[in-house]
Amino acid sequence: MTVRNHQARRPTIYDVAKLAGVSPSLVSLVLQNPGRVSDKRREAVRAAIAELGYRPSRAATTLASSRTKSIGLVIDDYRNLWFVDLLRGMESVLTEHGYHVTLADSRPGENRIREAADGLLAMHVDGLVIAAEPGGTPLTGAGVPTVVAGWRNGVPPDADLITNDDDGGGAIAADHLLRLGHTRIGHLTGSGGAAAHRRAGFDDRLREAGVDARIVGDEGGTAEEDGYASACWLLDRYPDTTAIFAANDTMALGAFGAIKAHGLAVPAEISVIGYDNSTLAKSRYLELTSVDNRSDLVGADVAKALLERIQDPTKGPIRELIKPSLVVRTTTAPPSV
């Protein structure tokens, strides 16, 4: 019987190098910039790391270079499923380059985004991704490469912006409901930048068709409870509404609750369409028609833009719009009357 010595020393980079048959400097290169190492040597190093259970010291890495290999991500609502796909897309790119993501949730308040960003900057992150509304104080002069993910109010002029074409996505939702024959349409929205663009695209397309959108909640939030409250107000004020477009899938879930509370059925009496094509929309229970904003692709392109910005801080800011598409499921149908 073999007894493990739990006090045994931790494996070092020299142990990895010896087992892989390479130099310690090449192991360091694999950890920091694996793309510059041949496939054969990279796999040998990774196999040695796995066998030894080696964990690189980030403190040592920071001391050995001017970078911490960490990226700060500021979000403003853990409940918003959009962030899940955004983070997955970011990590699909950053992990390969040896970076990890540190998350900060900005709390309500005038300086919420600044406080969250300052906490990450104190950790000496190599770059920032802002995926939150700035509140009363726009983020400027962060001092590190910064990329904004999604439309935000008060985007720093020197920051890169990677976002879904939310105006186009709102128009896609309007076109779908118009093609089905709906003319008494409500829209549940919020005060954020993305919601404003979705609202504008939706409203403009309906107006072109001679239809007035019944818009609710343009100064509120976009959580499930906001969707429920807005949908209740809409159905009380306009009981003849035959379709609802929600600014995101989470609000659409709240709308389902309001529709049920009013004794109505989806889609027999009222259609519902969401936005984000999140895991919520894809669930077999809801099967929600939703605009796919490709948040995973947004995340991947955010990571690529940030890595490029880290390599060349002098390049001009970029603006990238990612085209959305519609995923039709079971919650939309022609109006019954």
Side-chain angles (χ1 to χ4, degrees):
M1 182 177 67
T2 300
V3 179
R4 289 185 179 272
N5 179 8
H6 292 286
Q7 302 301 318
R9 69 177 180 87
R10 294 174 58 183
T12 68
I13 195 171
Y14 299 99
D15 297 322
V16 174
K18 182 178 180 180
L19 182 60
V22 300
S23 66
S25 61
L26 191 135
V27 175
S28 179
L29 188 60
V30 169
L31 294 171
Q32 297 185 48
N33 198 347
R36 295 178 55 189
V37 182
S38 68
D39 292 344
K40 182 178 180 180
R41 286 188 168 186
R42 185 170 62 244
E43 291 309 312
V45 169
R46 288 177 172 172
I49 288 173
E51 182 175 338
L52 293 173
Y54 172 71
R55 294 293 181 270
S57 167
R58 294 202 176 273
T61 302
T62 300
L63 289 173
S65 70
S66 60
R67 295 177 181 171
T68 62
K69 305 296 285 187
S70 62
I71 301 298
L73 171 61
V74 181
I75 67 173
D76 55 13
D77 190 351
Y78 279 112
R79 298 168 297 178
N80 190 335
L81 296 174
W82 180 79
F83 294 118
V84 176
D85 291 334
L86 176 78
L87 182 58
R88 184 170 67 244
M90 286 177 56
E91 290 188 331
S92 71
V93 173
L94 294 174
T95 300
E96 181 64 24
H97 289 81
Y99 282 85
H100 74 285
V101 178
T102 300
L103 193 65
D105 181 22
S106 61
R107 302 299 180 183
E110 279 294 296
N111 298 315
R112 60 187 187 182
I113 193 171
R114 168 58 68 187
E115 291 170 357
D118 283 348
L120 293 169
L121 293 173
M123 301 170 66
H124 303 288
V125 294
D126 295 329
L128 278 177
V129 176
I130 305 300
E133 293 297 336
T137 305
L139 179 69
T140 56
V144 299
T146 302
V147 178
V148 177
W151 290 111
R152 306 294 165 191
N153 296 318
V155 173
D158 58 341
D160 296 325
L161 172 65
I162 312 294
T163 184
N164 176 247
D165 179 7
D166 288 300
D167 295 81
I172 287 173
D175 285 338
H176 177 62
L177 295 177
L178 290 170
R179 280 194 299 268
L180 289 173
H182 293 280
T183 57
R184 301 186 297 277
I185 304 171
H187 177 41
L188 314 181
T189 185
S191 60
H197 281 271
R198 294 170 189 181
R199 179 171 67 248
F202 185 74
D203 190 35
D204 288 348
R205 187 55 57 88
L206 289 189
R207 289 182 183 277
E208 291 173 5
V211 175
D212 289 329
R214 300 163 176 179
I215 298 175
V216 187
D218 56 356
E219 295 183 357
T222 56
E224 179 182 348
E225 57 266 29
D226 301 306
Y228 179 83
S230 292
C232 283
W233 187 94
L234 174 72
L235 295 175
D236 288 339
R237 180 75 178 270
Y238 301 104
D240 64 338
T241 299
T242 62
I244 291 177
F245 167 47
N248 61 32
D249 294 339
T250 307
M251 290 193 84
L253 181 62
F256 270 85
I259 290 168
K260 182 179 180 181
H262 282 72
L264 301 173
V266 178
E269 295 169 289
I270 187 164
S271 290
V272 178
I273 177 171
Y275 205 111
D276 290 343
N277 194 35
S278 64
T279 54
L280 187 65
K282 300 170 187 176
S283 70
R284 291 184 177 87
Y285 179 73
L286 286 184
E287 294 189 340
L288 175 67
T289 296
S290 184
V291 178
D292 188 350
N293 64 355
R294 294 307 312 274
S295 51
D296 57 336
L297 184 56
V298 171
D301 285 3
V302 160
K304 293 174 185 176
L306 191 57
L307 292 176
E308 292 176 5
R309 175 67 57 195
I310 290 171
Q311 293 297 321
D312 182 10
T314 64
K315 63 180 293 189
I318 64 170
R319 296 288 186 270
E320 179 184 345
L321 292 180
I322 293 177
K323 186 178 181 179
S325 60
L326 181 69
V327 180
V328 180
R329 297 190 177 92
T330 64
T331 61
T332 50
S336 58
V337 291

